Coordinates of all heavy atoms in Angstrom, one line a residue:
T254 N -132.1 -89.4 -167.0 CA -132.7 -89.1 -165.7 C -134.2 -88.8 -165.8 O -135.0 -89.3 -165.1 CB -131.9 -87.9 -165.1 OG1 -130.6 -88.3 -164.9 CG2 -132.5 -87.6 -163.7
Y255 N -134.5 -87.9 -166.8 CA -135.9 -87.6 -167.1 C -136.7 -88.9 -167.4 O -137.8 -89.1 -166.9 CB -136.0 -86.6 -168.2 CG -137.4 -86.5 -168.9 CD1 -138.4 -85.9 -168.3 CD2 -137.6 -87.1 -170.1 CE1 -139.7 -85.9 -168.9 CE2 -138.8 -87.1 -170.8 CZ -139.9 -86.5 -170.1 OH -141.1 -86.5 -170.7
R256 N -136.1 -89.7 -168.3 CA -136.9 -90.9 -168.8 C -137.0 -92.0 -167.8 O -138.1 -92.6 -167.6 CB -136.2 -91.5 -170.0 CG -136.9 -92.5 -170.8 CD -136.1 -93.3 -171.8 NE -135.2 -94.2 -171.1 CZ -134.3 -95.0 -171.8 NH1 -134.3 -94.9 -173.1 NH2 -133.5 -95.8 -171.1
D257 N -135.9 -92.2 -167.0 CA -135.9 -93.4 -166.1 C -136.2 -93.1 -164.7 O -136.7 -94.0 -163.9 CB -134.6 -94.1 -166.2 CG -134.3 -94.6 -167.6 OD1 -135.2 -94.8 -168.3 OD2 -133.1 -94.9 -167.9
V258 N -136.0 -91.9 -164.2 CA -136.1 -91.5 -162.8 C -137.2 -90.5 -162.6 O -138.0 -90.6 -161.6 CB -134.7 -91.0 -162.3 CG1 -134.9 -90.7 -160.8 CG2 -133.6 -92.0 -162.5
G259 N -137.3 -89.5 -163.4 CA -138.2 -88.4 -163.2 C -137.7 -87.5 -162.2 O -136.5 -87.2 -162.1
G260 N -138.6 -86.8 -161.5 CA -138.1 -85.9 -160.5 C -139.2 -84.8 -160.3 O -140.2 -84.7 -160.9
A261 N -138.8 -83.9 -159.4 CA -139.8 -82.8 -159.0 C -140.0 -81.8 -160.2 O -141.1 -81.3 -160.4 CB -139.3 -82.1 -157.8
D262 N -138.9 -81.5 -160.9 CA -139.0 -80.5 -162.0 C -138.5 -81.2 -163.3 O -137.4 -80.9 -163.8 CB -138.2 -79.3 -161.6 CG -138.5 -78.1 -162.5 OD1 -139.3 -78.3 -163.5 OD2 -138.0 -77.0 -162.3
E263 N -139.4 -82.0 -163.9 CA -139.0 -82.7 -165.1 C -138.8 -81.7 -166.3 O -137.9 -81.9 -167.1 CB -140.0 -83.8 -165.5 CG -140.1 -84.9 -164.5 CD -141.0 -86.0 -164.9 OE1 -141.8 -85.8 -165.9 OE2 -140.9 -87.1 -164.3
A264 N -139.6 -80.7 -166.3 CA -139.5 -79.7 -167.4 C -138.1 -79.0 -167.4 O -137.5 -78.9 -168.5 CB -140.6 -78.7 -167.3
A265 N -137.6 -78.7 -166.2 CA -136.3 -78.1 -166.2 C -135.2 -79.1 -166.6 O -134.2 -78.7 -167.3 CB -136.0 -77.6 -164.7
T266 N -135.4 -80.3 -166.2 CA -134.4 -81.4 -166.7 C -134.3 -81.5 -168.2 O -133.3 -81.6 -168.8 CB -134.7 -82.7 -166.0 OG1 -134.8 -82.6 -164.6 CG2 -133.7 -83.8 -166.4
V267 N -135.5 -81.5 -168.8 CA -135.6 -81.6 -170.3 C -135.0 -80.4 -170.9 O -134.2 -80.5 -171.9 CB -137.1 -81.7 -170.7 CG1 -137.2 -81.6 -172.2 CG2 -137.6 -83.1 -170.3
R268 N -135.2 -79.2 -170.4 CA -134.7 -77.9 -170.9 C -133.1 -78.0 -170.9 O -132.5 -77.6 -171.8 CB -135.2 -76.7 -170.2 CG -136.6 -76.3 -170.6 CD -137.0 -74.9 -170.1 NE -136.8 -74.8 -168.7 CZ -137.8 -75.0 -167.8 NH1 -139.0 -75.4 -168.2 NH2 -137.6 -74.8 -166.5
E269 N -132.6 -78.4 -169.7 CA -131.2 -78.4 -169.6 C -130.5 -79.5 -170.5 O -129.5 -79.2 -171.1 CB -130.8 -78.7 -168.1 CG -129.3 -78.6 -167.9 CD -128.9 -78.8 -166.4 OE1 -129.8 -79.2 -165.6 OE2 -127.7 -78.7 -166.1
A270 N -131.2 -80.6 -170.6 CA -130.7 -81.7 -171.5 C -130.6 -81.1 -173.0 O -129.6 -81.3 -173.7 CB -131.5 -82.9 -171.5
L271 N -131.7 -80.5 -173.4 CA -131.8 -79.9 -174.8 C -130.7 -78.8 -175.0 O -130.1 -78.8 -176.0 CB -133.2 -79.4 -175.0 CG -133.5 -78.9 -176.4 CD1 -133.3 -80.1 -177.4 CD2 -134.9 -78.4 -176.5
D272 N -130.5 -78.0 -173.9 CA -129.5 -76.9 -174.0 C -128.1 -77.5 -174.3 O -127.4 -77.0 -175.1 CB -129.6 -76.1 -172.8 CG -128.6 -75.0 -172.8 OD1 -128.6 -74.1 -173.7 OD2 -127.7 -75.0 -171.9
H273 N -127.8 -78.5 -173.5 CA -126.4 -79.1 -173.7 C -126.3 -79.9 -175.0 O -125.2 -79.9 -175.6 CB -126.1 -80.0 -172.5 CG -125.7 -79.3 -171.3 ND1 -124.5 -78.6 -171.1 CD2 -126.5 -79.0 -170.1 CE1 -124.5 -78.0 -169.9 NE2 -125.7 -78.3 -169.3
A274 N -127.4 -80.5 -175.5 CA -127.3 -81.2 -176.8 C -127.1 -80.2 -177.9 O -126.3 -80.4 -178.8 CB -128.6 -81.9 -177.0
Q275 N -127.8 -79.0 -177.8 CA -127.6 -78.0 -178.8 C -126.2 -77.4 -178.8 O -125.6 -77.1 -179.8 CB -128.7 -76.9 -178.6 CG -130.1 -77.4 -179.0 CD -131.2 -76.4 -178.6 OE1 -130.9 -75.5 -177.7 NE2 -132.4 -76.5 -179.2
K276 N -125.7 -77.2 -177.6 CA -124.3 -76.7 -177.5 C -123.3 -77.6 -178.1 O -122.4 -77.2 -178.8 CB -123.9 -76.5 -176.0 CG -124.6 -75.2 -175.4 CD -124.1 -75.1 -173.9 CE -124.8 -73.8 -173.3 NZ -124.4 -73.7 -171.9
A277 N -123.5 -78.9 -177.9 CA -122.6 -79.9 -178.4 C -122.6 -79.9 -180.0 O -121.6 -80.0 -180.6 CB -122.9 -81.3 -177.9
L278 N -123.9 -79.8 -180.5 CA -124.0 -79.8 -182.0 C -123.4 -78.5 -182.6 O -122.8 -78.5 -183.7 CB -125.5 -79.8 -182.4 CG -126.1 -81.2 -182.2 CD1 -127.6 -81.1 -182.6 CD2 -125.4 -82.2 -183.1
A279 N -123.5 -77.4 -181.9 CA -123.0 -76.1 -182.3 C -121.4 -76.2 -182.4 O -120.8 -75.6 -183.3 CB -123.4 -75.0 -181.5
M280 N -120.8 -76.9 -181.4 CA -119.4 -77.0 -181.4 C -118.8 -78.0 -182.4 O -117.7 -77.8 -182.9 CB -118.9 -77.5 -180.0 CG -119.2 -76.4 -178.9 SD -118.7 -77.1 -177.3 CE -119.3 -75.8 -176.2
A281 N -119.6 -79.1 -182.6 CA -119.1 -80.2 -183.5 C -120.2 -80.7 -184.3 O -120.7 -81.8 -184.1 CB -118.4 -81.3 -182.7
P282 N -120.7 -80.0 -185.3 CA -121.9 -80.4 -186.1 C -121.7 -81.7 -186.9 O -122.7 -82.3 -187.4 CB -122.2 -79.2 -186.9 CG -120.9 -78.5 -187.1 CD -120.1 -78.7 -185.8
S283 N -120.4 -82.1 -187.2 CA -120.2 -83.2 -188.1 C -119.4 -84.4 -187.4 O -118.9 -85.3 -188.0 CB -119.4 -82.8 -189.3 OG -118.2 -82.2 -189.0
D284 N -119.3 -84.3 -186.0 CA -118.6 -85.3 -185.3 C -119.5 -86.5 -185.0 O -120.6 -86.3 -184.4 CB -118.1 -84.7 -183.9 CG -117.3 -85.7 -183.1 OD1 -117.8 -86.7 -182.6 OD2 -116.0 -85.6 -183.1

Side-chain angles (χ1 to χ4, degrees):
T254 300
Y255 159 76
R256 190 191 73 178
D257 296 342
V258 180
D262 194 351
E263 293 186 347
T266 302
V267 169
R268 284 195 301 271
E269 188 180 1
L271 186 59
D272 178 58
H273 284 285
Q275 291 171 340
K276 285 181 179 178
L278 285 178
M280 293 177 185
S283 59
D284 185 286

